[in-house]
Amino acid sequence: MTATLAPDDAGIAEAARLLAAGELVAFPTETVYGLGGDARSDRAVARIYQAKGRPSFNPLIVHLPDLKAVEAIAEVGPKARMLAQAFWPGPLTLVLPLRNGAGISPLVTAGLSTVAVRVPAHPLAQRLLRAFGGPLAAPSANPSGRVSPTRAEHVLEGLTGRIAAVLDGGPCAVGLESTIILADPEPVLLRPGGLPVEAAEAALGEPLATGGNAGKPTAPGQLASHYAPEAMVRLDATQARPGEVLVGFGAVKGALSLSAAGDLVEAAARLFDALREADRLAGPRGRIAFAPVPETGLGRAINDRLRRAAAPRT
Ligand code: TXA
Ligand code: MG
């Protein structure tokens, strides 16, 4: 059985104890819930892949409490440092050269010489990382190929019975996974996410190159159909066709809306909830249509996830 742990000292102590014993614990971050396991333990990391049903060539993000802890396992180049200082803790993941002898399981990096690291801002994630006292490998806490969880109930829907516990921190404030950047020597955006690309470019004082298009992954495992709901998805819809559930935005009204006010922060926070809700309303072999979302700020990350949801299924 999967335990639900309260967001208090006892819950955090129990989560840290389970992790130290090599068990898996899902925990809230400001982006989405992570499926945490000890990043130093081959066994714990193998269990993460097993619980998610994830192909093992897909590397995981390592979560640490601060930049100092990151420097113990990875080399932080000059541009990475600028981004870390500007946005950590926060919804930013940096891909950095792994240090020799860092002690990270090779299953985490899938054998790459780089490691993806993130310092989450969520107070419960911070408390858990400090109580555990080590690096936590944590992909999003959903079965592979499904929508990322932004509530403890979503985690249980997908993974109950497959993990030891979930630390219940309520809904995630950002609602989209972190922005992934390879900063040095030349900055490349590997995945748009909860940190707007424009903010990263402003901190660096230079544009980010984009690593390929939605269908051609540069972050390994960025499969086009990674965010697939059950229903078929159509984009840029201003009206529902017969039998479709329309998800609105701004002036385009629907059966539900990402943000009736046209607010991108609200839309990002609601996106995965809305995908689940629309999927439920559409029913078996149903169809969902999404209203257009502007391609600026968080809209870039929202549209990236929507294009994946709409991509032909593999
Ligand atoms: O917001 C987030 O980033 C959430 C929370 C839990 O932190 N985590 C998350 O993890 O989205 P996951 O495993 O679902 O996505 C990790 C992404 C994958 O696309 C993976 O390919 C990429 O990070 N990645 C990991 N290590 C990498 C590396 N060394 N080089 C390039 N991409 C890497
Ligand atoms: Mg994921």
Side-chain angles (χ1 to χ4, degrees), residues 75-85 92 94 96 183-184 204:
E75 286 162 33
V76 182
K79 290 178 188 174
R81 186 170 303 277
M82 285 167 75
L83 291 173
Q85 281 167 351
L92 167 71
L94 293 170
L96 303 170
D184 297 287
L204 287 168

Side-chain angles (χ1 to χ4, degrees), residues 269-285:
R270 279 197 33 72
L271 177 65
F272 292 138
D273 251 1
L275 264 169
R276 285 167 197 273
E277 175 68 3
D279 217 11
R280 198 181 59 72
L281 290 173
R285 289 180 300 285

Side-chain angles (χ1 to χ4, degrees), residues 31 34 54 58-59 61 63 114 116 118 139-140 177-178 180 191 220:
T31 59
R54 183 181 212 178
N58 194 355
I61 296 175
H63 295 65
T114 53
R118 159 157 146 70
S140 51
E177 299 89 341
S178 59
I180 306 182
R191 176 177 77 182

Side-chain angles (χ1 to χ4, degrees), residues 32 52 54 139-142 146 148 177 191 226-227:
V32 300
K52 282 184 68 84
R54 183 181 212 178
S140 51
N142 51 283
R146 310 305 311 182
S148 293
E177 299 89 341
R191 176 177 77 182
H226 192 68
Y227 294 84

Side-chain angles (χ1 to χ4, degrees), residues 66-91:
D66 50 35
L67 177 58
K68 192 160 171 282
V70 169
E71 287 178 307
I73 69 158
E75 286 162 33
V76 182
K79 290 178 188 174
R81 186 170 303 277
M82 285 167 75
L83 291 173
Q85 281 167 351
F87 302 114
W88 275 350

